[in-house]
Amino acid sequence: MNKKPNFDINMTQPTPFDFVLDYLPTGITVKRMFGMHYIYLGKRILLILRKSQKEPEWNGIWIATSRHHHESLKTNIPELGAFFLDENDRHSNWLLLKDGAEDFEGAAIKICELIAHGDPRIGKVTEKPPL
């Protein structure tokens, strides 16, 4: 699969975990914001790729989804974990594949394959498509 995603022209840092771009559908857009790389398909945010020395416990691939899809996605990809917003264990809609997870690359490829096959559990519509 030789894909040509759209990239933000101001991306000065390399995209972490860029192997995932080879497994995503044609037409994705990668936008760098807030030190992370956001991946969109049309108006849907799909993933965020994060690798930072600040708060390394949040490094990995963030999966845009809804809470009611968490269990089924974790059944398909057991390496996925909850994404906590604070110490009170308040779950967000996002799931996290931590960069230190066992078989990180294999799990990331499975996520991309679900996206490539149009799995409705992954992605959230945003107000505007990325620029």
Side-chain angles (χ1 to χ4, degrees):
M1 285 188 206
N2 191 3
K3 310 267 187 291
K4 292 192 177 185
N6 298 316
F7 291 98
D8 182 339
I9 57 172
N10 295 320
M11 289 177 48
T12 56
Q13 290 183 333
T15 305
F17 324 119
D18 63 350
F19 68 90
V20 301
L21 302 176
D22 294 332
Y23 296 92
L24 291 169
T26 304
I28 62 164
T29 300
V30 179
K31 178 89 174 158
R32 187 174 189 284
M33 295 182 287
F34 313 113
M36 299 178 283
H37 293 79
Y38 292 63
I39 298 178
Y40 294 86
L41 184 59
K43 289 186 173 187
R44 292 178 65 84
I45 182 154
L46 302 170
L47 307 170
I48 297 176
L49 309 177
R50 183 185 192 279
K51 182 77 172 175
S52 175
Q53 291 182 13
K54 286 180 163 182
E55 301 174 304
E57 67 274 11
W58 291 1
N59 285 344
I61 300 174
W62 301 7
I63 298 93
T65 187
S66 303
R67 284 184 215 161
H68 68 273
H69 294 310
H70 283 197
E71 288 309 312
S72 64
L73 284 167
K74 287 182 193 179
T75 298
N76 291 126
I77 305 167
E79 296 86 356
L80 293 177
F83 186 87
F84 297 101
L85 296 174
D86 55 35
E87 304 98 36
N88 296 325
D89 292 343
R90 197 174 80 217
H91 284 267
S92 73
N93 284 318
W94 293 81
L95 287 173
L96 174 61
L97 174 61
K98 290 187 177 189
D99 63 347
E102 189 171 328
D103 195 22
F104 172 80
E105 189 168 328
I109 291 169
K110 286 179 191 174
I111 293 163
C112 294
E113 288 172 345
L114 291 174
I115 292 168
H117 289 97
D119 193 308
R121 298 175 296 174
I122 300 175
K124 297 292 258 179
V125 174
T126 59
E127 289 293 313
K128 296 187 233 177
L131 300 176

